[in-house]
Amino acid sequence: MTTIEEFAAGFGEEPGYLDYGRVGPLSRAVRAEALGQYEALATSRFGTIDRMSAENGRVREAISALTGFSAEQISFQPNASSGLMHSAFGLTGGEVLLSAAEFPSVTYAAVRAAQAMHVVTPVWLETDHGRVTPAQLREQLTDSTTAVMVSLVDSRTGYLADIDGIRQVIGDRLLIVDAIQGFGISDVPYEVADVVVSGGQKWTRAGWGTGFLALSERAIEHLTPVFSGWVGSGPGERWDEVVDPAKDASAFTVSNADPVAEARFAAALEEVAAVGVAEISAAISDTVERVIDLADEFAVPVASSRNPAERAGIVVLEPLPEQLTVLAAALFNHGVTARMRPTSARLSVHAGTTEETLDMLRAAFTSYASAA
């Protein structure tokens, strides 16, 4: 078991970084894993390549430990968007209910599937400023609704969706969850979903080229593996014939994955499992509270939820339009890395966010308050 202090010591980025919602700098464990794997690939001693093929099983076991899905229900993906495309194109009819304010990976998957397959229709959910709640879904479900797509954490508002409550409302309809903004830091019941998709380049700090698609037994039964390559037909090479896709999550793969990427992701998730998602979530929540307190102290308007049950690691600041440029300049001038958008600034904290980073943020807020 790893302590939260030991986990935080694995953060190697420079002070001032508050943009994990965009990309998480590689953890020390991931960097060491990548260097070791590339060294092995560079020398390619006898048996090395065969050994690297075992990384697929390793990463699926690591994902299983954090999601509750069995390893056979999980396929490695190069990114979250690929998993969403597999899911949306695999729908076999009816209407899929989702918010138009979802991150484009979600909305594009639904629309492109409708345009290409002509079997499912996207229906746009009316929301409370982009927040998808069980109550809103209950009001807008119809008999034609066969699936619901939702982000676990909304990337613009930082809102943490109640996926357990959503499951209770939608019944036996397929629930497709894009978990990328909460995976590894939000202690939620993933097993209530039929499809869970995530990438590893954000909060798990595994780098680009990492992700997964986890499917319930019902999803495996109801989704069609439209993009199913030769590796999706079961173990072993397939020559001189084309056989049907496998009856598990491996059907939703096109080719062999990058074993170094799998190893990076596995190392990151093993590190998370060693300390525990609940402990990481608690540490992040405490730091989010401190960031909100700092914003209040300097009268920087907070647009994201103050309720710990409705947030993960994102704090959204939304000053008056004429003051947003002032805030952006203050953050930049004090070395704070944040995600600036047309109407807001998004700060993303992690369990490894340091006192020095919070001091830099305080200095930026001081400058903002003086200028504003």
Side-chain angles (χ1 to χ4, degrees):
M1 195 68 184
T2 302
T3 66
I4 193 67
E5 291 78 18
E6 291 170 330
F7 178 74
F11 286 69
E13 54 267 36
E14 294 185 359
Y17 193 83
L18 292 174
D19 202 11
Y20 298 94
R22 188 178 188 185
V23 60
L26 298 183
S27 73
R28 289 176 182 169
V30 169
R31 184 168 60 179
E33 183 75 32
L35 290 173
Q37 291 286 339
Y38 279 124
E39 180 63 25
L41 182 60
T43 57
S44 293
R45 291 180 178 176
F46 179 79
T48 295
I49 304 302
D50 288 337
R51 184 200 60 75
M52 293 182 77
S53 67
E55 296 301 333
N56 182 262
R58 176 190 174 194
V59 72
R60 289 188 292 110
E61 289 291 348
I63 296 164
S64 174
L66 295 185
T67 61
F69 289 76
S70 71
E72 291 71 28
Q73 294 173 287
I74 296 166
S75 68
F76 181 84
Q77 300 289 325
N79 46 59
S81 295
S82 294
L84 288 167
M85 285 290 188
H86 276 298
S87 305
F89 274 74
L91 294 171
T92 56
E95 297 175 348
V96 55
L97 186 59
L98 71 162
S99 167
E102 292 285 1
F103 190 79
S105 289
V106 179
T107 55
Y108 270 70
V111 172
R112 292 292 184 256
Q115 292 171 335
M117 306 302 290
H118 305 290
V119 294
V120 67
T121 302
V123 175
W124 305 113
L125 178 73
E126 294 181 10
T127 68
D128 176 16
H129 299 91
R131 302 176 180 183
V132 177
T133 67
Q136 292 159 340
L137 285 165
R138 181 187 295 111
E139 293 175 359
Q140 298 174 61
L141 289 170
T142 70
D143 292 341
S144 298
T145 307
T146 56
V148 170
M149 299 180 74
V150 63
S151 293
L152 176 64
V153 178
D154 184 81
S155 66
R156 284 195 286 196
T157 66
Y159 178 75
L160 174 63
D162 177 9
I163 60 172
D164 192 22
I166 290 173
R167 164 54 68 200
Q168 295 177 36
V169 164
I170 70 172
D172 61 358
R173 298 170 176 88
L174 291 179
L175 175 56
I176 301 170
V177 177
D178 176 5
I180 195 168
Q181 287 290 7
F183 183 65
I185 64 165
S186 296
D187 191 17
V188 299
Y190 290 110
E191 64 274 10
V192 304
D194 293 293
V195 178
V196 179
V197 173
S198 185
Q201 79 274 23
K202 297 182 185 290
W203 301 93
T204 56
R205 303 176 296 137
W208 288 287
T210 58
F212 71 89
L213 171 65
L215 302 171
S216 70
E217 292 297 337
R218 182 169 53 178
I220 292 172
E221 178 183 351
H222 285 87
L223 294 180
T224 300
V226 175
F227 302 104
S228 185
W230 65 277
V231 298
S233 299
E237 294 185 352
R238 300 289 180 177
W239 294 79
D240 305 318
E241 64 174 340
V242 176
V243 301
D244 290 338
K247 299 299 183 181
D248 57 27
S250 68
F252 296 85
T253 55
V254 176
S255 186
N256 286 318
D258 175 358
V260 179
E262 291 178 320
R264 284 191 280 111
F265 201 18
L269 301 187
E270 289 161 358
E271 191 177 24
V272 169
V275 63
V277 175
E279 286 74 13
I280 294 171
S281 178
I284 289 173
S285 183
D286 289 344
T287 305
V288 166
E289 201 70 46
R290 295 182 64 185
V291 170
I292 292 175
D293 288 345
L294 275 175
D296 289 344
E297 180 181 345
F298 291 94
V300 186
V302 176
S304 51
S305 179
R306 295 171 180 267
N307 182 353
E310 295 180 351
R311 69 187 190 212
I314 291 174
V315 178
V316 180
L317 308 176
E318 199 168 283
L320 294 173
E322 62 270 21
Q323 295 177 348
L324 182 62
T325 301
V326 178
L327 177 59
L331 293 169
F332 179 86
N333 290 337
H334 288 85
V336 176
T337 303
R339 181 65 162 150
M340 300 305 302
R341 290 205 162 109
T343 61
S344 65
R346 188 185 70 184
L347 307 177
S348 306
V349 309
H350 212 310
T353 298
T354 63
E355 289 295 328
E356 186 174 357
T357 295
L358 294 177
D359 288 343
M360 293 167 70
L361 182 62
R362 170 181 283 276
F365 283 169
T366 303
S367 295
Y368 164 79
S370 299

